[in-house]
């Protein structure tokens, strides 16, 4: 499980994630220097540490290395959230507290994410199956007993589909 990045590690990784391409120490240094005074050797050390920790891979290009992120910022954030949640003695209460801190936009993003990971099987068109004809008079009672969709939408969740 990854530990949280330090302030300078995060500043370097933010650039690598945003640029989404192999980068050199010099490129990161020049961008960081727009915000703070920092030495080349400091950035080089941080990027080497990130490589040693498995956050970036590097390839030699001429006399320099080019660094590439091993995973995305989203994966890093998800791992941190999962670590925090798994350490809770009451995961349900931790989720309720976390959701309570979210903005309306974040809650909408959460609803969208839930839809992505919990696709309703009814939304996916199954292969048509030929059924044997039903004997007359038995169809409606048998469909009702089997929970056929013709009964209605009891328990189907709200309009947003999250209530499953």
């Amino acid at each position: 499980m990854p530990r949280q990045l330090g302030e300078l590690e995060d500043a370097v990784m933010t650039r690598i994630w945003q640029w989404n391409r192999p980068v050199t120490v010099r490129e990161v240094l020049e961008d960081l220097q727009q915000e703070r005074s920092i030495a080349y050797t400091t950035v080089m050390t941080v990027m080497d540490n990130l490589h040693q920790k498995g956050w970036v891979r590097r390839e030699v290009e001429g006399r320099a290395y080019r660094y590439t992120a091993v995973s995305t910022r989203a994966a890093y954030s998800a791992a941190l959230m999962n670590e925090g949640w798994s350490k809770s003695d009451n995961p349900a209460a931790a989720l309720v507290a976390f959701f309570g801190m979210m903005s309306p936009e974040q809650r909408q993003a959460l609803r969208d994410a839930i839809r992505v990971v919990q696709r309703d099987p009814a939304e996916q068109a199954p292969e048509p199956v030929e059924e044997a004809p039903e004997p007359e008079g038995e169809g409606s009672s048998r469909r009702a007993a089997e929970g056929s969709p013709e009964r209605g939408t009891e328990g189907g969740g709200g309009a947003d589909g999250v209530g499953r």
Side-chain angles (χ1 to χ4, degrees), residues 33-98:
Q33 284 179 331
Q34 295 176 22
E35 299 171 2
R36 63 177 91 182
S37 176
I38 190 165
Y40 180 92
T41 54
T42 302
V43 177
M44 182 177 65
T45 299
V46 169
M47 292 178 78
D48 184 60
N49 289 344
L50 289 167
H51 175 256
Q52 298 300 320
K53 293 176 181 180
W55 287 104
V56 295
R57 72 176 62 89
R58 66 184 180 194
E59 295 181 21
V60 176
E61 184 179 286
R63 294 177 33 183
Y65 286 114
R66 286 214 173 258
Y67 294 84
T68 308
V70 170
S71 67
T72 64
R73 180 160 205 116
Y76 165 69
S77 298
L80 290 178
M81 288 187 288
N82 188 54
E83 180 181 27
W85 184 46
S86 68
K87 289 182 179 180
S88 173
D89 61 346
N90 188 340
L95 284 175
V96 169
F98 180 64

Short mmCIF file of all heavy atoms in Angstrom, two decimals, residues 33-98:
data_model
loop_
_atom_site.label_atom_id
_atom_site.label_comp_id
_atom_site.label_asym_id
_atom_site.label_seq_id
_atom_site.Cartn_x
_atom_site.Cartn_y
_atom_site.Cartn_z
N GLN A 33 10.57 25.95 -10.49
CA GLN A 33 11.22 27.23 -10.19
C GLN A 33 10.32 28.43 -10.45
O GLN A 33 10.60 29.52 -9.98
CB GLN A 33 12.52 27.36 -10.99
CG GLN A 33 13.64 26.52 -10.42
CD GLN A 33 14.93 26.62 -11.22
OE1 GLN A 33 14.92 26.84 -12.44
NE2 GLN A 33 16.05 26.43 -10.53
N GLN A 34 9.22 28.23 -11.15
CA GLN A 34 8.26 29.32 -11.33
C GLN A 34 7.52 29.62 -10.03
O GLN A 34 6.96 30.69 -9.86
CB GLN A 34 7.25 28.96 -12.43
CG GLN A 34 7.89 28.83 -13.80
CD GLN A 34 6.89 28.39 -14.85
OE1 GLN A 34 5.68 28.55 -14.69
NE2 GLN A 34 7.40 27.84 -15.95
N GLU A 35 7.52 28.66 -9.11
CA GLU A 35 6.81 28.81 -7.84
C GLU A 35 7.72 28.96 -6.64
O GLU A 35 7.33 29.52 -5.64
CB GLU A 35 5.93 27.58 -7.59
CG GLU A 35 4.88 27.35 -8.63
CD GLU A 35 4.18 26.00 -8.44
OE1 GLU A 35 4.50 25.27 -7.47
OE2 GLU A 35 3.35 25.67 -9.28
N ARG A 36 8.93 28.42 -6.72
CA ARG A 36 9.82 28.40 -5.56
C ARG A 36 11.27 28.31 -6.01
O ARG A 36 11.55 27.88 -7.12
CB ARG A 36 9.49 27.22 -4.64
CG ARG A 36 9.70 25.87 -5.33
CD ARG A 36 9.46 24.69 -4.42
NE ARG A 36 8.08 24.26 -4.49
CZ ARG A 36 7.56 23.28 -3.79
NH1 ARG A 36 8.30 22.63 -2.94
NH2 ARG A 36 6.31 22.95 -3.91
N SER A 37 12.15 28.67 -5.13
CA SER A 37 13.58 28.54 -5.38
C SER A 37 13.97 27.11 -5.00
O SER A 37 13.74 26.67 -3.87
CB SER A 37 14.35 29.55 -4.53
OG SER A 37 15.73 29.36 -4.71
N ILE A 38 14.52 26.37 -5.95
CA ILE A 38 14.86 24.97 -5.71
C ILE A 38 16.05 24.59 -6.57
O ILE A 38 16.19 25.07 -7.71
CB ILE A 38 13.63 24.07 -5.97
CG1 ILE A 38 13.89 22.65 -5.48
CG2 ILE A 38 13.21 24.11 -7.41
CD1 ILE A 38 12.63 21.82 -5.38
N ALA A 39 16.91 23.75 -6.06
CA ALA A 39 18.13 23.34 -6.76
C ALA A 39 17.89 22.12 -7.64
O ALA A 39 17.04 21.27 -7.33
CB ALA A 39 19.23 23.03 -5.75
N TYR A 40 18.66 22.03 -8.70
CA TYR A 40 18.60 20.88 -9.61
C TYR A 40 18.81 19.59 -8.84
O TYR A 40 18.07 18.62 -9.02
CB TYR A 40 19.66 21.03 -10.71
CG TYR A 40 19.67 19.88 -11.70
CD1 TYR A 40 18.91 19.94 -12.87
CD2 TYR A 40 20.43 18.74 -11.47
CE1 TYR A 40 18.91 18.89 -13.77
CE2 TYR A 40 20.43 17.68 -12.36
CZ TYR A 40 19.67 17.75 -13.50
OH TYR A 40 19.65 16.72 -14.40
N THR A 41 19.81 19.57 -7.96
CA THR A 41 20.13 18.34 -7.22
C THR A 41 18.99 17.92 -6.29
O THR A 41 18.78 16.72 -6.07
CB THR A 41 21.43 18.50 -6.41
OG1 THR A 41 21.32 19.67 -5.58
CG2 THR A 41 22.65 18.62 -7.33
N THR A 42 18.23 18.87 -5.79
CA THR A 42 17.08 18.54 -4.94
C THR A 42 16.02 17.82 -5.76
O THR A 42 15.49 16.78 -5.35
CB THR A 42 16.49 19.81 -4.30
OG1 THR A 42 17.51 20.45 -3.54
CG2 THR A 42 15.30 19.48 -3.41
N VAL A 43 15.71 18.35 -6.93
CA VAL A 43 14.70 17.73 -7.80
C VAL A 43 15.20 16.36 -8.26
O VAL A 43 14.43 15.38 -8.28
CB VAL A 43 14.36 18.64 -8.99
CG1 VAL A 43 13.37 17.95 -9.94
CG2 VAL A 43 13.78 19.96 -8.50
N MET A 44 16.49 16.27 -8.59
CA MET A 44 17.06 15.00 -9.03
C MET A 44 16.94 13.95 -7.90
O MET A 44 16.55 12.81 -8.16
CB MET A 44 18.53 15.18 -9.41
CG MET A 44 19.19 13.91 -9.92
SD MET A 44 20.89 14.18 -10.45
CE MET A 44 21.65 14.63 -8.90
N THR A 45 17.22 14.35 -6.68
CA THR A 45 17.11 13.43 -5.55
C THR A 45 15.67 12.98 -5.33
O THR A 45 15.41 11.79 -5.11
CB THR A 45 17.66 14.09 -4.26
OG1 THR A 45 19.04 14.41 -4.48
CG2 THR A 45 17.53 13.18 -3.06
N VAL A 46 14.73 13.91 -5.41
CA VAL A 46 13.32 13.56 -5.23
C VAL A 46 12.88 12.58 -6.32
O VAL A 46 12.21 11.58 -6.03
CB VAL A 46 12.43 14.83 -5.23
CG1 VAL A 46 10.95 14.47 -5.33
CG2 VAL A 46 12.70 15.65 -3.99
N MET A 47 13.27 12.85 -7.55
CA MET A 47 12.86 11.96 -8.64
C MET A 47 13.53 10.59 -8.52
O MET A 47 12.91 9.56 -8.82
CB MET A 47 13.11 12.63 -9.99
CG MET A 47 12.17 13.82 -10.18
SD MET A 47 12.39 14.75 -11.70
CE MET A 47 11.58 13.67 -12.87
N ASP A 48 14.77 10.56 -8.06
CA ASP A 48 15.43 9.28 -7.81
C ASP A 48 14.71 8.53 -6.69
O ASP A 48 14.49 7.32 -6.80
CB ASP A 48 16.90 9.50 -7.46
CG ASP A 48 17.63 8.17 -7.29
OD1 ASP A 48 17.67 7.38 -8.26
OD2 ASP A 48 18.13 7.91 -6.17
N ASN A 49 14.32 9.24 -5.62
CA ASN A 49 13.57 8.61 -4.53
C ASN A 49 12.24 8.05 -5.02
O ASN A 49 11.83 6.96 -4.64
CB ASN A 49 13.33 9.60 -3.39
CG ASN A 49 14.60 9.93 -2.63
OD1 ASN A 49 15.61 9.24 -2.72
ND2 ASN A 49 14.55 11.02 -1.88
N LEU A 50 11.55 8.82 -5.87
CA LEU A 50 10.28 8.35 -6.43
C LEU A 50 10.50 7.08 -7.27
O LEU A 50 9.66 6.17 -7.25
CB LEU A 50 9.61 9.45 -7.26
CG LEU A 50 9.05 10.62 -6.45
CD1 LEU A 50 8.70 11.79 -7.38
CD2 LEU A 50 7.84 10.18 -5.64
N HIS A 51 11.61 7.03 -7.96
CA HIS A 51 11.95 5.84 -8.73
C HIS A 51 12.21 4.66 -7.79
O HIS A 51 11.70 3.55 -8.00
CB HIS A 51 13.18 6.09 -9.61
CG HIS A 51 13.65 4.88 -10.33
ND1 HIS A 51 14.76 4.17 -9.94
CD2 HIS A 51 13.14 4.22 -11.40
CE1 HIS A 51 14.92 3.13 -10.74
NE2 HIS A 51 13.95 3.15 -11.64
N GLN A 52 12.99 4.88 -6.73
CA GLN A 52 13.30 3.82 -5.77
C GLN A 52 12.03 3.31 -5.07
O GLN A 52 11.93 2.12 -4.75
CB GLN A 52 14.30 4.32 -4.72
CG GLN A 52 15.66 4.72 -5.27
CD GLN A 52 16.37 3.58 -5.98
OE1 GLN A 52 16.33 2.44 -5.53
NE2 GLN A 52 17.00 3.89 -7.10
N LYS A 53 11.06 4.19 -4.86
CA LYS A 53 9.81 3.82 -4.20
C LYS A 53 8.80 3.19 -5.16
O LYS A 53 7.73 2.74 -4.73
CB LYS A 53 9.18 5.05 -3.54
CG LYS A 53 10.00 5.58 -2.37
CD LYS A 53 9.37 6.86 -1.83
CE LYS A 53 10.18 7.44 -0.68
NZ LYS A 53 9.55 8.68 -0.15
N GLY A 54 9.12 3.19 -6.44
CA GLY A 54 8.23 2.56 -7.41
C GLY A 54 7.15 3.46 -7.99
O GLY A 54 6.24 2.99 -8.66
N TRP A 55 7.23 4.76 -7.76
CA TRP A 55 6.23 5.68 -8.30
C TRP A 55 6.47 6.00 -9.77
O TRP A 55 5.52 6.30 -10.50
CB TRP A 55 6.22 6.99 -7.51
CG TRP A 55 5.62 6.83 -6.16
CD1 TRP A 55 6.29 6.77 -4.97
CD2 TRP A 55 4.24 6.68 -5.85
NE1 TRP A 55 5.40 6.60 -3.95
CE2 TRP A 55 4.13 6.54 -4.46
CE3 TRP A 55 3.08 6.65 -6.62
CZ2 TRP A 55 2.92 6.37 -3.82
CZ3 TRP A 55 1.86 6.49 -5.98
CH2 TRP A 55 1.79 6.36 -4.60
N VAL A 56 7.74 6.00 -10.18
CA VAL A 56 8.08 6.30 -11.57
C VAL A 56 9.07 5.26 -12.09
O VAL A 56 9.79 4.63 -11.32
CB VAL A 56 8.71 7.72 -11.73
CG1 VAL A 56 7.71 8.81 -11.39
CG2 VAL A 56 9.97 7.87 -10.91
N ARG A 57 9.06 5.09 -13.39
CA ARG A 57 10.11 4.29 -14.04
C ARG A 57 10.96 5.26 -14.82
O ARG A 57 10.50 6.37 -15.15
CB ARG A 57 9.51 3.19 -14.91
CG ARG A 57 8.86 3.65 -16.19
CD ARG A 57 8.36 2.51 -17.07
NE ARG A 57 7.33 1.71 -16.46
CZ ARG A 57 6.03 1.95 -16.53
NH1 ARG A 57 5.61 2.99 -17.21
NH2 ARG A 57 5.16 1.19 -15.94
N ARG A 58 12.17 4.87 -15.10
CA ARG A 58 13.04 5.79 -15.84
C ARG A 58 13.81 5.04 -16.91
O ARG A 58 14.10 3.86 -16.77
CB ARG A 58 13.98 6.52 -14.89
CG ARG A 58 14.99 5.66 -14.21
CD ARG A 58 15.80 6.48 -13.22
NE ARG A 58 16.79 5.64 -12.56
CZ ARG A 58 17.46 5.98 -11.49
NH1 ARG A 58 17.26 7.16 -10.94
NH2 ARG A 58 18.34 5.17 -10.95
N GLU A 59 14.08 5.78 -17.97
CA GLU A 59 14.86 5.24 -19.09
C GLU A 59 15.95 6.25 -19.43
O GLU A 59 15.71 7.46 -19.41
CB GLU A 59 13.96 5.02 -20.30
CG GLU A 59 12.91 3.94 -20.08
CD GLU A 59 12.04 3.72 -21.31
OE1 GLU A 59 12.47 4.08 -22.43
OE2 GLU A 59 10.93 3.20 -21.13
N VAL A 60 17.12 5.73 -19.76
CA VAL A 60 18.23 6.60 -20.11
C VAL A 60 17.99 7.17 -21.50
O VAL A 60 17.59 6.46 -22.43
CB VAL A 60 19.57 5.82 -20.08
CG1 VAL A 60 20.71 6.70 -20.55
CG2 VAL A 60 19.83 5.28 -18.71
N GLU A 61 18.21 8.49 -21.62
CA GLU A 61 18.17 9.16 -22.91
C GLU A 61 19.36 10.10 -22.96
O GLU A 61 19.35 11.14 -22.30
CB GLU A 61 16.85 9.92 -23.09
CG GLU A 61 16.75 10.55 -24.48
CD GLU A 61 15.44 11.27 -24.65
OE1 GLU A 61 14.40 10.60 -24.82
OE2 GLU A 61 15.47 12.52 -24.62
N GLY A 62 20.36 9.73 -23.70
CA GLY A 62 21.59 10.53 -23.72
C GLY A 62 22.26 10.47 -22.37
O GLY A 62 22.53 9.39 -21.85
N ARG A 63 22.50 11.63 -21.78
CA ARG A 63 23.13 11.68 -20.46
C ARG A 63 22.13 11.88 -19.34
O ARG A 63 22.51 12.11 -18.19
CB ARG A 63 24.16 12.82 -20.44
CG ARG A 63 25.32 12.56 -21.37
CD ARG A 63 26.30 13.69 -21.41
NE ARG A 63 26.42 14.38 -20.11
CZ ARG A 63 27.16 15.44 -19.90
NH1 ARG A 63 27.86 15.95 -20.90
NH2 ARG A 63 27.23 16.01 -18.73
N ALA A 64 20.86 11.82 -19.65
CA ALA A 64 19.82 12.06 -18.64
C ALA A 64 18.81 10.91 -18.61
O ALA A 64 18.80 10.06 -19.50
CB ALA A 64 19.08 13.36 -18.96
N TYR A 65 18.00 10.90 -17.59
CA TYR A 65 16.89 9.96 -17.50
C TYR A 65 15.61 10.68 -17.89
O TYR A 65 15.45 11.87 -17.70
CB TYR A 65 16.70 9.46 -16.06
CG TYR A 65 17.74 8.48 -15.58
CD1 TYR A 65 18.62 8.83 -14.56
CD2 TYR A 65 17.81 7.20 -16.11
CE1 TYR A 65 19.55 7.92 -14.08
CE2 TYR A 65 18.74 6.30 -15.65
CZ TYR A 65 19.61 6.66 -14.63
OH TYR A 65 20.53 5.76 -14.16
N ARG A 66 14.69 9.90 -18.45
CA ARG A 66 13.31 10.36 -18.65
C ARG A 66 12.45 9.53 -17.73
O ARG A 66 12.52 8.31 -17.72
CB ARG A 66 12.88 10.18 -20.10
CG ARG A 66 13.51 11.21 -21.01
CD ARG A 66 12.53 11.58 -22.14
NE ARG A 66 13.08 12.68 -22.90
CZ ARG A 66 12.68 13.93 -22.76
NH1 ARG A 66 11.74 14.23 -21.90
NH2 ARG A 66 13.21 14.88 -23.49
N TYR A 67 11.63 10.22 -16.94
CA TYR A 67 10.79 9.57 -15.93
C TYR A 67 9.34 9.54 -16.38
O TYR A 67 8.83 10.51 -16.93
CB TYR A 67 10.88 10.35 -14.61
CG TYR A 67 12.25 10.30 -13.96
CD1 TYR A 67 13.26 11.18 -14.35
CD2 TYR A 67 12.53 9.39 -12.96
CE1 TYR A 67 14.52 11.15 -13.76
CE2 TYR A 67 13.79 9.35 -12.35
CZ TYR A 67 14.77 10.23 -12.76
OH TYR A 67 16.01 10.19 -12.17
N THR A 68 8.69 8.40 -16.10
CA THR A 68 7.28 8.22 -16.45
C THR A 68 6.55 7.67 -15.24
O THR A 68 7.06 6.78 -14.55
CB THR A 68 7.14 7.20 -17.62
OG1 THR A 68 7.99 7.59 -18.68
CG2 THR A 68 5.70 7.10 -18.10
N ALA A 69 5.35 8.15 -14.98
CA ALA A 69 4.54 7.66 -13.86
C ALA A 69 4.18 6.20 -14.07
O ALA A 69 3.88 5.78 -15.18
CB ALA A 69 3.28 8.50 -13.70
N VAL A 70 4.21 5.45 -12.98
CA VAL A 70 3.86 4.04 -13.03
C VAL A 70 2.34 3.86 -12.97
O VAL A 70 1.79 2.95 -13.58
CB VAL A 70 4.55 3.27 -11.88
CG1 VAL A 70 4.03 1.86 -11.74
CG2 VAL A 70 6.06 3.26 -12.10
N SER A 71 1.64 4.75 -12.24
CA SER A 71 0.19 4.68 -12.18
C SER A 71 -0.37 6.10 -12.25
O SER A 71 0.38 7.06 -12.30
CB SER A 71 -0.28 3.98 -10.89
OG SER A 71 0.04 4.76 -9.77
N THR A 72 -1.67 6.19 -12.24
CA THR A 72 -2.33 7.50 -12.37
C THR A 72 -2.56 8.15 -11.01
O THR A 72 -2.52 7.49 -9.97
CB THR A 72 -3.70 7.33 -13.05
OG1 THR A 72 -4.53 6.55 -12.18
CG2 THR A 72 -3.58 6.67 -14.41
N ARG A 73 -2.84 9.43 -11.05
CA ARG A 73 -3.18 10.13 -9.80
C ARG A 73 -4.47 9.56 -9.22
O ARG A 73 -4.62 9.44 -8.01
CB ARG A 73 -3.32 11.63 -10.03
CG ARG A 73 -3.67 12.34 -8.73
CD ARG A 73 -3.36 13.82 -8.75
NE ARG A 73 -3.16 14.28 -7.40
CZ ARG A 73 -2.03 14.76 -6.92
NH1 ARG A 73 -0.99 14.88 -7.68
NH2 ARG A 73 -1.93 15.15 -5.68
N ALA A 74 -5.41 9.19 -10.09
CA ALA A 74 -6.67 8.61 -9.62
C ALA A 74 -6.40 7.31 -8.85
O ALA A 74 -7.01 7.08 -7.80
CB ALA A 74 -7.61 8.36 -10.79
N ALA A 75 -5.51 6.47 -9.36
CA ALA A 75 -5.18 5.22 -8.67
C ALA A 75 -4.51 5.50 -7.32
O ALA A 75 -4.79 4.83 -6.33
CB ALA A 75 -4.28 4.35 -9.55
N TYR A 76 -3.64 6.50 -7.28
CA TYR A 76 -2.99 6.91 -6.04
C TYR A 76 -4.03 7.39 -5.02
O TYR A 76 -4.04 6.95 -3.87
CB TYR A 76 -1.96 8.01 -6.33
CG TYR A 76 -1.47 8.77 -5.12
CD1 TYR A 76 -0.66 8.15 -4.17
CD2 TYR A 76 -1.79 10.10 -4.93
CE1 TYR A 76 -0.20 8.86 -3.06
CE2 TYR A 76 -1.32 10.81 -3.83
CZ TYR A 76 -0.53 10.18 -2.89
OH TYR A 76 -0.08 10.87 -1.80
N SER A 77 -4.93 8.25 -5.46
CA SER A 77 -5.97 8.77 -4.57
C SER A 77 -6.86 7.65 -4.06
O SER A 77 -7.20 7.61 -2.87
CB SER A 77 -6.82 9.82 -5.29
OG SER A 77 -6.03 10.92 -5.66
N ALA A 78 -7.23 6.74 -4.94
CA ALA A 78 -8.09 5.62 -4.55
C ALA A 78 -7.39 4.73 -3.52
O ALA A 78 -8.00 4.28 -2.56
CB ALA A 78 -8.48 4.79 -5.78
N ALA A 79 -6.10 4.51 -3.71
CA ALA A 79 -5.34 3.69 -2.75
C ALA A 79 -5.29 4.35 -1.39
O ALA A 79 -5.43 3.68 -0.35
CB ALA A 79 -3.94 3.43 -3.29
N LEU A 80 -5.11 5.66 -1.37
CA LEU A 80 -5.09 6.38 -0.08
C LEU A 80 -6.45 6.30 0.61
O LEU A 80 -6.54 6.10 1.82
CB LEU A 80 -4.67 7.83 -0.28
CG LEU A 80 -3.21 8.09 -0.64
CD1 LEU A 80 -2.98 9.58 -0.86
CD2 LEU A 80 -2.27 7.54 0.41
N MET A 81 -7.53 6.49 -0.17
CA MET A 81 -8.87 6.41 0.42
C MET A 81 -9.13 5.00 0.95
O MET A 81 -9.67 4.84 2.05
CB MET A 81 -9.93 6.80 -0.61
CG MET A 81 -9.95 8.27 -0.92
SD MET A 81 -11.33 8.78 -1.98
CE MET A 81 -10.85 8.09 -3.55
N ASN A 82 -8.73 3.99 0.19
CA ASN A 82 -8.94 2.61 0.62
C ASN A 82 -8.16 2.32 1.89
O ASN A 82 -8.66 1.66 2.80
CB ASN A 82 -8.54 1.65 -0.49
CG ASN A 82 -8.92 0.23 -0.15
OD1 ASN A 82 -10.07 -0.07 0.17
ND2 ASN A 82 -7.94 -0.66 -0.18
N GLU A 83 -6.92 2.82 1.98
CA GLU A 83 -6.12 2.60 3.16
C GLU A 83 -6.77 3.24 4.38
O GLU A 83 -6.89 2.62 5.44
CB GLU A 83 -4.71 3.16 2.98
CG GLU A 83 -3.84 2.95 4.20
CD GLU A 83 -2.45 3.53 4.04
OE1 GLU A 83 -2.28 4.49 3.27
OE2 GLU A 83 -1.54 3.03 4.71
N GLY A 84 -7.21 4.48 4.24
CA GLY A 84 -7.86 5.16 5.36
C GLY A 84 -9.13 4.45 5.78
O GLY A 84 -9.39 4.27 6.98
N TRP A 85 -9.92 4.03 4.81
CA TRP A 85 -11.18 3.35 5.11
C TRP A 85 -10.93 2.01 5.78
O TRP A 85 -11.59 1.65 6.74
CB TRP A 85 -11.98 3.19 3.83
CG TRP A 85 -13.33 2.60 4.02
CD1 TRP A 85 -14.26 2.93 4.96
CD2 TRP A 85 -13.92 1.57 3.25
NE1 TRP A 85 -15.40 2.18 4.82
CE2 TRP A 85 -15.21 1.32 3.77
CE3 TRP A 85 -13.50 0.82 2.16
CZ2 TRP A 85 -16.07 0.37 3.24
CZ3 TRP A 85 -14.37 -0.12 1.63
CH2 TRP A 85 -15.63 -0.35 2.17
N SER A 86 -9.95 1.26 5.31
CA SER A 86 -9.68 -0.07 5.86
C SER A 86 -9.15 -0.01 7.29
O SER A 86 -9.24 -0.98 8.02
CB SER A 86 -8.71 -0.83 4.97
OG SER A 86 -7.43 -0.24 5.00
N LYS A 87 -8.61 1.13 7.70
CA LYS A 87 -8.10 1.27 9.07
C LYS A 87 -9.19 1.66 10.06
O LYS A 87 -8.95 1.69 11.26
CB LYS A 87 -6.97 2.31 9.10
CG LYS A 87 -5.71 1.81 8.45
CD LYS A 87 -4.61 2.83 8.54
CE LYS A 87 -3.35 2.29 7.90
NZ LYS A 87 -2.26 3.27 7.98
N SER A 88 -10.38 1.96 9.58
CA SER A 88 -11.47 2.38 10.46
C SER A 88 -12.02 1.20 11.24
O SER A 88 -12.14 0.09 10.70
CB SER A 88 -12.59 3.01 9.63
OG SER A 88 -13.70 3.28 10.46
N ASP A 89 -12.36 1.43 12.51
CA ASP A 89 -13.01 0.38 13.29
C ASP A 89 -14.50 0.29 12.97
O ASP A 89 -15.17 -0.66 13.36
CB ASP A 89 -12.78 0.58 14.79
CG ASP A 89 -13.34 1.91 15.31
OD1 ASP A 89 -13.68 2.77 14.48
OD2 ASP A 89 -13.43 2.06 16.54
N ASN A 90 -15.02 1.27 12.24
CA ASN A 90 -16.42 1.27 11.83
C ASN A 90 -16.49 1.82 10.40
O ASN A 90 -16.76 3.01 10.19
CB ASN A 90 -17.26 2.12 12.78
CG ASN A 90 -18.75 2.00 12.49
OD1 ASN A 90 -19.16 1.60 11.41
ND2 ASN A 90 -19.56 2.37 13.47
N PRO A 91 -16.22 0.95 9.40
CA PRO A 91 -16.17 1.42 8.00
C PRO A 91 -17.44 2.12 7.53
O PRO A 91 -17.36 3.10 6.80
CB PRO A 91 -15.90 0.15 7.20
CG PRO A 91 -15.28 -0.80 8.18
CD PRO A 91 -15.89 -0.46 9.51
N ALA A 92 -18.61 1.65 7.97
CA ALA A 92 -19.86 2.29 7.54
C ALA A 92 -19.94 3.72 8.05
O ALA A 92 -20.30 4.64 7.31
CB ALA A 92 -21.07 1.48 8.01
N ALA A 93 -19.57 3.93 9.32
CA ALA A 93 -19.60 5.28 9.88
C ALA A 93 -18.56 6.17 9.19
O ALA A 93 -18.81 7.36 8.95
CB ALA A 93 -19.33 5.23 11.38
N ALA A 94 -17.42 5.58 8.85
CA ALA A 94 -16.39 6.36 8.15
C ALA A 94 -16.90 6.81 6.78
O ALA A 94 -16.68 7.96 6.37
CB ALA A 94 -15.11 5.53 7.99
N LEU A 95 -17.61 5.93 6.08
CA LEU A 95 -18.18 6.31 4.78
C LEU A 95 -19.23 7.40 4.94
O LEU A 95 -19.25 8.36 4.16
CB LEU A 95 -18.78 5.09 4.08
CG LEU A 95 -17.79 4.13 3.44
CD1 LEU A 95 -18.52 2.90 2.89
CD2 LEU A 95 -17.00 4.82 2.35
N VAL A 96 -20.09 7.28 5.93
CA VAL A 96 -21.12 8.29 6.15
C VAL A 96 -20.46 9.65 6.42
O VAL A 96 -20.86 10.67 5.86
CB VAL A 96 -22.08 7.88 7.29
CG1 VAL A 96 -22.97 9.04 7.70
CG2 VAL A 96 -22.91 6.68 6.86
N ALA A 97 -19.43 9.64 7.26
CA ALA A 97 -18.73 10.90 7.56
C ALA A 97 -18.06 11.45 6.31
O ALA A 97 -18.11 12.65 6.04
CB ALA A 97 -17.70 10.67 8.67
N PHE A 98 -17.45 10.58 5.53
CA PHE A 98 -16.78 11.01 4.30
C PHE A 98 -17.78 11.59 3.31
O PHE A 98 -17.58 12.67 2.76
CB PHE A 98 -16.03 9.83 3.68
CG PHE A 98 -15.30 10.15 2.42
CD1 PHE A 98 -14.24 11.06 2.41
CD2 PHE A 98 -15.65 9.55 1.22
CE1 PHE A 98 -13.56 11.36 1.24
CE2 PHE A 98 -14.97 9.84 0.05
CZ PHE A 98 -13.92 10.75 0.06
#
